[in-house]
Amino acid sequence: MIASRLKTVRAVVVTCGAVAIMLIIYQWIDKQLGRTDYYTGFTLLAASIGLMTLSMRKKLIVLPLGSVAVWQQVHQYLGLFAVATFMMHAGFPVHGILETALSVIFVLISLSGSVGWYINKTTPRKLLAAGQAVLREDIATMRRSIAQQAYHIALTAAGKIESATLADHYTQRLSDFFSRRRSIAYCLVPTGRSRRELLHGLEKVSRHLGPEGRSCKQTLSELVIAKDDLDFQWAMQIRLRSWVIFHVSLVWSFFILVAYHIYLVYRYKGG
Amino acid sequence: MSDPIKRYRRPDQQWKCGLQDKGVLCTAGPDHLHRCSNPNTDQTCHPRRTLIWWRRYLPVAFAAITVAILITTANMPTHREIIAPGPLTLAHAQLISNPQDPHRCSACHSDDPSSNPSPNPSSTDVSASSNEHSTSPTSDQPISQVSEAVLAKHSQSDRCISCHSRDMPHLAIRSAHDLPVDVLDEMTAWVKQRAKGTPSTSMPVVLVSAPAAANNNLQDQPEPMALATGVDATTLSQTEQKKNGNGNERATSSSNKASNDLACSTCHREHQGPHHDLQAIASSRCQACHQESFKSFANGHPQFENYPAPKQSRIAFGHRKHQDSHFTKTSTAFDCRACHVDTNSRSNVGQVFRSLSYETACAKCHDGSIKSSVSEGAIVFQVPSIDVEGLAKNNAAISKSLSEQWPEEASLMLDGKIPPLMQWLLMGESEGSLALSGLDLSGDLSKLRLDSQADRKSLVSLATASRMILEKIGNSGQSAFAQRFVSNNGQSVAPFDYGIRAILRGAPPDLFRTAFETWFDSSKQIGKQWKLLKPGTHLSDGGWMIDKNRLSISYVPTGHADPWLASVLESANDLLEADRMRSDSNREQNEIRKVFIAKQLLSAQGVGQGIGRCAECHQSIAQTNSTVTQIALQGQAQDRWRSKRVSTATRSLTKFDHGPHLIQPQLQSCIACHAFNGEQPKYSIHSEFANIKIEQCASCHHPQAAGDQCTQCHNYHASQR
């Protein structure tokens, strides 16, 4: 834990040092009446290309290029450096339609990168807290199995007078929960609200149930918890994979606009 | 392939079974055409895309959309608005007002970057430049009307210069402060010497001719300019010769190339929005080139030297004398603002002027004495007092008619002096010149002797010429008289001709005829009953009159700035200047007399008789063979009378606005900054005020108060139209 924190501190110090050196050179060029925008622009381009190397590294798994975790960390701090360079380059407010579009895409990439950083850091811990990790491809099968179990319990309960209320409750409140996937909103921000509401509903029904009915209710409650845990695992894994798609997709647009931006800069450069 | 379920768990598959999300276990999965390949399934299966597919193709889709948007916008009429890195400042935007104008960008940017010339067009060959001149944009031509072919040959800075050279004609030099590199080197050497504590001379204010604009094919030859920076005029002259000589000094001077290739965009960044200040620049950037760098204005800025620099003025004025003597005598408060502040107009330093008009600043005290001095008027013509009878007794060949008709009042004895203006008139007649040859320069008749044959001859000529002047002007008008000063080839005999014309300007010929009939034609019996009138009371508002008392034609000036009197004095000044410019020292008697008379007219006593006392204040009109006269001769003749005002178009390296300073309570008294140095000025170029110390300014000009940016007090572009 201490070693990990030391690594983080070291990385932050190195990043801040790089930004400081960048600032010093910036001010020196500015005092020399040099083109600071060229300096920051090409530094930003170099940093962006450096950030791109992570995905290349991921594809070149056969080459001994160090662990992906190290590359990931370098990518994160290089991203921070790129944000600082971008602020020096673009300034505020940003003028021009093309420049604004370029800036918006850069900001979106940075935000998605930050979100990814957060997701990458927190998801394993959350998945661990939610129980045994399950492969995403198996979740649908397991969910179906749980739904079938719940259906059979509800069917059993419906055949008895003392637990008919439980069957009605299943039909009204639980059937949809077991048979359907969760919403996109749940994917983005998975919460335990539905789970709590459903468990609370089952508790309220239990006073109308006999001993066997209560036993069925208990089994249904366990199935609600199991289904919600699976949904949580599914949501976390979907989120973990989806942000990367968004992050990488924007990068392509970004580089196309950067190329056009550089062309325009040289096309209309002063002199 | 032995475990089909495992295959579906692989993350590299782009398609998956359509029933997978429903929890159905498929043993086959999609085929290579993304169709269901399981023959045993009893449900309808539509294979679905996995996240891997999205990961692979979504970025491609984004890229395709981006490219499509760029291609679409490239063909839109508003394409230039889209690619512009921001709105132009208001000043530039209004010049290129139509956003759909295809030449909107090319007004400032070259359409073909490869066709850009060298960064500095003036470094190109002069002959080439001159050849291109006809096809180059000029400052009079809107940039939007210049053809693309012409514009493509010039860099962006050239295009800036083509519009701004009207206000800053030396932009074309494209070096620091628009100064030639040699001048900058000279100044740098001076600063280095000062840093060592061994400055050979103080930095003078000099007149500078701008040389480099001649090399620029975008420029017309600019007017000479004055800079408030010190460089040796000789150096500048040499620079000019070098540039004119080979026309390519910059190209051959590689060591100076860097400082001579400054693009406008180095400091002025466009496309930062309509309200962006294009002139804004950080003080730290100013120090990029300067030898002496310093932390702030209060901490390290070089001490002011000779600031504010005394400027050459044509009006002699002593502040100390006025305060201590004149204002004290009249118990009047010596308020600087009364003479120096005009809230209705603006100078380079705000609403404060070196001097206001006579009417505003001086009339209150000086009107009375000037009126008094002109009350007797200036005698233009006077019947000489000649002893006609004595002449006749001494057998002078004076005609009988002249002898009989010579006014009785002027026939008693040889007395008086010929007035200077009349002497000038006499010199316009051959007979008059003959008469004057016998007189001394003052025209004193009493020094003539009737027993001298030469003197008698002069007197006869004088009488004849005097009569002739009146008769000719009276009968034929001014032009007939002035015609005598046109040489055989039709050229005017200036400036003497100008002097005679100045005297006769406004003089009514009828008055001369009346005077002739009054004094020389007894048959007319004119004026016999006239009262004796004093010019001052008879012509209280000025004008021409026949002075019966003095047998003269006089002009009574209207007061200060009388145009007739000014015209006469200007002609005298011209005559003196022309004489000064003559290289030979051999002068005829007539020429010596002309100069003598001119000096008499311009003396502090005025037009012979103390008229006007003009030269007391207008010393520049009275002096010659000095810097003062050089100052006086700049500009139009009438400008010689005015205090020299600095044009508002002037851009020296320093600037100052009194406006915001006079608001400060501690600065409302001008003496807070402009204290006397205890010296009386010999002339206007000698300041009677102490130099301002940097500490006086630094007390307010620091970052926490009035600011200490370089551009608050300094202009980068220095020039004068």
Side-chain angles (χ1 to χ4, degrees):
Chain A
M1 190 69 176
I2 294 172
S4 167
R5 286 200 171 173
L6 274 175
K7 269 186 184 176
T8 305
V9 170
R10 193 171 59 194
V12 170
V13 167
V14 168
T15 307
C16 290
V19 172
I21 291 168
M22 173 86 186
L23 263 174
I24 290 167
I25 297 173
Y26 178 93
Q27 289 187 339
W28 181 79
I29 292 174
D30 188 53
K31 282 182 184 175
Q32 300 303 311
L33 301 180
R35 298 300 299 259
T36 51
D37 41 2
Y38 281 59
Y39 163 66
T40 52
F42 281 107
T43 306
L44 184 58
L45 179 66
S48 302
I49 292 169
L51 289 165
M52 284 271 285
T53 55
L54 175 65
S55 60
M56 294 176 191
R57 166 68 189 87
K58 282 179 178 174
K59 285 171 186 168
L60 298 171
I61 49 176
V62 291
L63 295 176
L65 297 171
S67 72
V68 172
V70 172
W71 281 78
Q72 185 86 39
Q73 201 171 27
V74 169
H75 179 85
Q76 289 160 358
Y77 290 104
L78 189 59
L80 280 179
F81 175 77
V83 168
T85 310
F86 169 78
M87 288 164 73
M88 278 189 265
H89 181 67
F92 186 83
V94 177
H95 299 284
I97 297 171
L98 184 71
E99 270 68 19
T100 302
L102 194 52
S103 299
V104 166
I105 290 177
F106 183 86
V107 169
L108 285 176
I109 292 171
S110 304
L111 285 176
S112 65
S114 305
V115 169
W117 190 351
Y118 172 76
I119 290 173
N120 270 332
K121 210 168 180 59
T122 57
T123 300
R125 197 169 62 240
K126 285 179 180 174
L127 285 176
L128 216 62
Q132 191 180 358
V134 183
L135 281 177
R136 190 171 58 86
E137 287 77 8
D138 293 342
I139 287 176
T141 311
M142 295 173 73
R143 202 156 45 192
R144 187 179 185 196
S145 169
I146 289 171
Q148 282 174 347
Q149 287 178 51
Y151 176 73
H152 285 300
I153 289 169
L155 206 60
T156 307
K160 297 171 184 174
I161 296 171
E162 62 160 342
S163 55
T165 310
L166 187 64
D168 290 342
H169 183 76
Y170 172 82
T171 310
Q172 290 170 10
R173 301 288 304 275
L174 300 176
S175 173
D176 275 358
F177 173 72
F178 283 114
S179 61
R180 292 185 181 177
R181 285 196 304 177
R182 304 297 284 267
S183 66
I184 293 174
Y186 181 82
C187 262
L188 294 172
V189 188
T191 66
R193 199 181 65 168
S194 295
R195 172 180 169 150
R196 285 193 297 274
E197 283 176 1
L198 292 173
L199 290 176
H200 182 64
L202 283 169
E203 279 304 316
K204 280 182 19 184
V205 169
S206 70
R207 61 182 174 175
H208 305 293
L209 304 175
E212 284 190 21
R214 287 200 184 98
S215 171
C216 290
K217 182 231 93 178
Q218 184 58 35
T219 312
L220 273 178
S221 294
E222 287 168 5
L223 288 174
V224 165
I225 291 168
K227 165 71 167 47
D228 188 64
D229 284 347
L230 276 178
D231 286 345
F232 182 75
Q233 295 248 3
W234 175 79
M236 296 302 281
Q237 291 189 41
I238 285 289
R239 208 170 64 164
L240 191 64
R241 286 166 173 77
S242 298
W243 79 264
V244 178
I245 297 173
F246 183 68
H247 188 66
V248 172
S249 300
L250 286 173
V251 167
W252 282 49
S253 293
F254 175 71
F255 273 101
I256 288 169
L257 288 181
V258 163
Y260 190 50
H261 172 72
I262 292 172
Y263 163 74
L264 290 175
V265 165
Y266 278 94
R267 166 74 175 73
Y268 293 104
K269 74 172 181 179
Chain B
M1 296 297 284
S2 58
D3 183 358
I5 295 176
K6 271 191 175 177
R7 186 164 63 88
Y8 288 106
R9 286 175 180 163
R10 285 184 182 172
D12 59 342
Q13 298 297 313
Q14 294 182 24
W15 293 83
K16 64 183 179 183
C17 174
L19 301 173
Q20 189 180 1
D21 286 344
K22 293 178 180 174
V24 177
L25 287 173
C26 179
T27 55
D31 62 13
H32 66 285
L33 294 173
H34 322 311
R35 292 176 307 196
C36 178
S37 60
N38 189 352
N40 301 321
T41 183
D42 54 352
Q43 298 182 49
T44 307
C45 173
H46 298 290
R48 300 182 63 186
R49 295 177 180 88
T50 64
L51 286 175
I52 296 302
W53 187 93
W54 286 108
R55 166 119 189 222
R56 181 162 297 175
Y57 292 107
L58 193 62
V60 176
F62 268 59
I65 290 168
T66 307
V67 171
I69 289 172
L70 290 179
I71 291 171
T72 307
T73 54
N75 295 311
M76 287 168 67
T78 53
H79 167 61
R80 287 172 180 81
E81 294 303 303
I82 293 168
I83 64 170
L88 295 169
T89 52
L90 286 176
H92 286 155
Q94 63 185 345
L95 293 175
I96 322 167
S97 53
N98 182 6
Q100 296 186 4
D101 183 355
H103 303 308
R104 187 171 163 79
C105 297
S106 59
C108 299
H109 301 282
S110 170
D111 260 359
D112 179 9
S114 62
S115 68
N116 267 352
S118 63
N120 191 343
S122 52
S123 66
T124 55
D125 182 55
V126 162
S127 58
S129 299
S130 60
N131 290 338
E132 286 177 10
H133 192 85
S134 59
T135 56
S136 297
T138 65
S139 57
D140 295 330
Q141 191 175 14
I143 198 80
S144 57
Q145 295 177 12
V146 181
S147 74
E148 286 293 297
V150 172
L151 282 173
K153 294 177 182 173
H154 299 290
S155 70
Q156 186 175 310
S157 292
D158 296 334
R159 293 163 198 235
C160 302
I161 292 166
S162 70
C163 287
H164 289 281
S165 59
R166 187 176 298 173
D167 295 325
M168 291 174 280
H170 305 279
L171 279 178
I173 299 174
R174 285 184 64 174
S175 63
H177 299 296
D178 301 345
L179 294 172
V181 174
D182 286 1
V183 175
L184 291 170
D185 289 345
E186 194 79 12
M187 293 170 74
T188 304
W190 185 87
V191 170
K192 282 179 177 175
Q193 282 185 347
R194 186 177 66 175
K196 290 176 185 172
T198 56
S200 56
T201 56
S202 61
M203 189 175 274
V205 178
V206 294
L207 292 173
V208 181
S209 254
N215 288 349
N216 193 311
N217 54 6
L218 290 172
Q219 303 299 312
D220 292 330
Q221 182 73 32
E223 296 293 322
M225 71 170 185
L227 293 176
T229 52
V231 275
D232 184 73
T234 312
T235 308
L236 289 171
S237 172
Q238 288 169 350
T239 306
E240 190 169 10
Q241 287 168 10
K242 279 165 79 176
K243 285 181 182 280
N244 290 337
N246 58 21
N248 202 9
E249 188 209 45
R250 193 172 300 126
T252 55
S253 177
S254 59
S255 63
N256 292 326
K257 191 174 188 303
S259 60
N260 234 20
D261 277 349
L262 284 175
C264 302
S265 59
T266 305
C267 299
H268 305 295
R269 301 289 167 85
E270 248 300 357
H271 294 290
Q272 301 295 313
H275 303 293
H276 173 67
D277 183 5
L278 276 175
Q279 298 175 2
I281 185 170
S283 293
S284 57
R285 303 194 85 198
C286 295
Q287 301 202 38
C289 306
H290 285 246
Q291 286 291 318
E292 291 183 15
S293 60
F294 47 87
K295 194 175 177 184
S296 65
F297 175 65
N299 187 6
H301 187 286
Q303 188 60 261
F304 299 150
E305 294 196 10
N306 205 22
Y307 184 80
K311 291 186 173 61
Q312 297 156 335
S313 172
R314 300 184 180 108
I315 309 291
F317 183 83
H319 288 84
R320 174 63 68 84
K321 192 177 175 187
H322 273 74
Q323 185 187 33
D324 294 351
S325 177
H326 307 317
F327 278 73
T328 309
K329 278 182 191 169
T330 56
S331 303
T332 310
F334 187 74
D335 181 12
C336 309
R337 290 167 179 252
C339 294
H340 290 292
V341 176
D342 181 0
T343 53
N344 296 321
S345 53
R346 186 170 176 81
S347 71
N348 263 350
V349 289
Q351 293 178 327
V352 175
F353 294 82
R354 293 187 71 80
S355 55
L356 297 183
S357 68
Y358 167 84
E359 288 73 18
T360 307
C362 317
K364 191 178 170 188
C365 297
H366 288 279
D367 245 3
S369 58
I370 291 175
K371 275 276 185 190
S372 167
S373 75
V374 300
S375 62
E376 289 299 311
I379 296 175
V380 174
F381 177 88
Q382 186 173 34
V383 180
S385 179
I386 300 170
D387 184 358
V388 179
E389 199 174 323
L391 271 177
K393 281 180 185 174
N394 285 283
N395 299 321
I398 185 167
S399 69
K400 188 181 178 186
S401 63
L402 182 63
S403 170
E404 288 173 353
Q405 291 180 7
W406 197 256
E408 194 177 328
E409 300 90 326
S411 304
L412 299 176
M413 57 179 173
L414 276 173
D415 191 24
K417 291 179 179 176
I418 308 293
L421 294 177
M422 186 175 167
Q423 287 193 49
W424 260 3
L425 288 179
L426 284 170
M427 276 186 277
E429 287 288 334
S430 55
E431 197 71 29
S433 296
L434 195 64
L436 290 173
S437 64
L439 290 169
D440 65 1
L441 291 176
S442 67
D444 193 349
L445 292 172
S446 64
K447 291 180 181 173
L448 295 179
R449 300 286 174 203
L450 287 178
D451 52 4
S452 161
Q453 190 180 352
D455 287 358
R456 287 200 303 272
K457 198 174 176 185
S458 294
L459 281 171
V460 170
S461 296
L462 177 64
T464 309
S466 301
R467 193 175 185 278
M468 200 180 291
I469 287 171
L470 285 182
E471 192 176 12
K472 281 188 175 168
I473 296 176
N475 290 334
S476 307
Q478 297 167 352
S479 60
F481 193 82
Q483 190 65 31
R484 296 170 175 277
F485 305 103
V486 178
S487 64
N488 292 336
N489 59 3
Q491 295 295 312
S492 175
V493 190
F496 189 58
D497 166 34
Y498 175 60
I500 298 293
R501 283 172 186 272
I503 295 169
L504 296 178
R505 188 173 300 140
D510 291 347
L511 193 73
F512 281 75
R513 187 165 57 214
T514 305
F516 178 80
E517 289 170 351
T518 305
W519 294 321
F520 297 108
D521 190 352
S522 56
S523 63
K524 301 279 181 174
Q525 294 292 316
I526 294 175
K528 297 293 181 191
Q529 305 303 320
W530 288 359
K531 289 185 199 170
L532 293 177
L533 298 169
K534 285 191 172 181
T537 51
H538 186 54
L539 296 172
S540 57
D541 291 321
W544 291 87
M545 70 174 287
I546 297 173
D547 188 345
K548 190 179 177 186
N549 188 31
R550 293 187 291 182
L551 293 182
S552 67
I553 295 174
S554 301
Y555 175 78
V556 180
T558 53
H560 180 263
D562 179 82
W564 180 85
L565 192 54
S567 179
V568 169
L569 296 182
E570 283 161 18
S571 66
N573 188 262
D574 283 345
L575 194 141
L576 284 185
E577 184 58 22
D579 181 69
R580 192 181 69 81
M581 299 295 283
R582 280 181 60 170
S583 54
D584 62 311
S585 57
N586 298 325
R587 285 169 177 75
E588 294 175 4
Q589 184 64 23
N590 248 1
E591 289 168 333
I592 294 170
R593 183 179 294 277
K594 281 178 199 169
V595 171
F596 179 81
I597 293 169
K599 284 181 178 173
Q600 263 193 308
L601 293 173
L602 294 170
S603 70
Q605 283 72 41
V607 192
Q609 295 88 22
I611 285 208
R613 299 164 62 192
C614 309
E616 277 185 28
C617 299
H618 297 284
Q619 289 187 9
S620 64
I621 201 76
Q623 299 195 17
T624 185
N625 200 20
S626 67
T627 312
V628 176
T629 306
Q630 291 174 26
I631 301 163
L633 287 175
Q634 290 169 11
Q636 298 297 316
Q638 59 268 29
D639 284 347
R640 301 174 205 174
W641 298 97
R642 299 194 178 111
S643 171
K644 189 182 179 187
R645 284 195 177 186
V646 178
S647 163
T648 50
T650 302
R651 290 173 63 89
S652 66
L653 286 175
T654 54
K655 61 182 177 182
F656 183 80
D657 188 348
H658 280 89
H661 293 85
L662 294 178
I663 296 170
Q664 308 300 322
Q666 69 271 29
L667 298 179
Q668 285 187 352
S669 168
C670 303
I671 299 170
C673 295
H674 301 289
F676 288 120
N677 62 5
E679 293 176 14
Q680 288 289 343
K682 288 181 180 176
Y683 192 61
S684 49
I685 56 171
H686 303 287
S687 177
E688 54 186 323
F689 293 99
N691 287 338
I692 292 177
K693 299 287 180 192
I694 201 167
E695 291 76 15
Q696 291 174 262
C697 307
S699 59
C700 289
H701 282 280
H702 53 81
Q704 287 75 38
D708 62 350
Q709 294 291 302
C710 300
T711 49
Q712 281 182 278
C713 302
H714 292 290
N715 288 316
Y716 175 81
H717 297 287
S719 65
Q720 182 185 36
R721 274 197 280 202

